[in-house]
Amino acid sequence: KGKNPKEEEVKKMKRIVDGRVYDTDDSILIAEKNFHNGFYGLYKTRYGREFFIAKIVYYKNYLSYIKPLTPKMAKRILSKIDK
């Protein structure tokens, strides 16, 4: 049997995209949405860059996704995520 990681550990993500670091531990959570097999969230870095993350459980593994956003994209996503 696989272990169920703690929720806060699952939500930790760090990626370098186009030479910029996007790290959930070093960013502010703006909004998130949990669902039965994962979650997604909107974060803002200390430099004001916004990014979107998603993690989905797939056969006891997590598929991770991180995407830097323009302010317009972030506003659109924020309008769809319940706080």
Side-chain angles (χ1 to χ4, degrees), residues 9-61:
E9 290 297 317
V10 169
K11 292 182 179 180
K12 290 184 177 187
M13 290 180 69
K14 182 178 182 178
R15 299 277 194 290
I16 298 173
V17 179
D18 296 329
R20 294 183 173 171
V21 177
Y22 296 90
D23 183 356
T24 57
D25 276 348
D26 197 28
S27 298
I28 298 168
L29 175 64
I30 298 170
E32 69 179 342
K33 180 78 172 180
N34 294 295
F35 46 96
H36 72 283
N37 66 336
F39 78 97
Y40 51 82
L42 180 62
Y43 287 81
K44 183 180 274 194
T45 70
R46 61 182 156 170
Y47 301 108
R49 294 187 303 270
E50 294 163 311
F51 63 101
F52 175 81
I53 68 166
K55 277 200 177 176
I56 300 169
V57 177
Y58 185 73
Y59 292 104
K60 297 184 181 180
N61 293 306

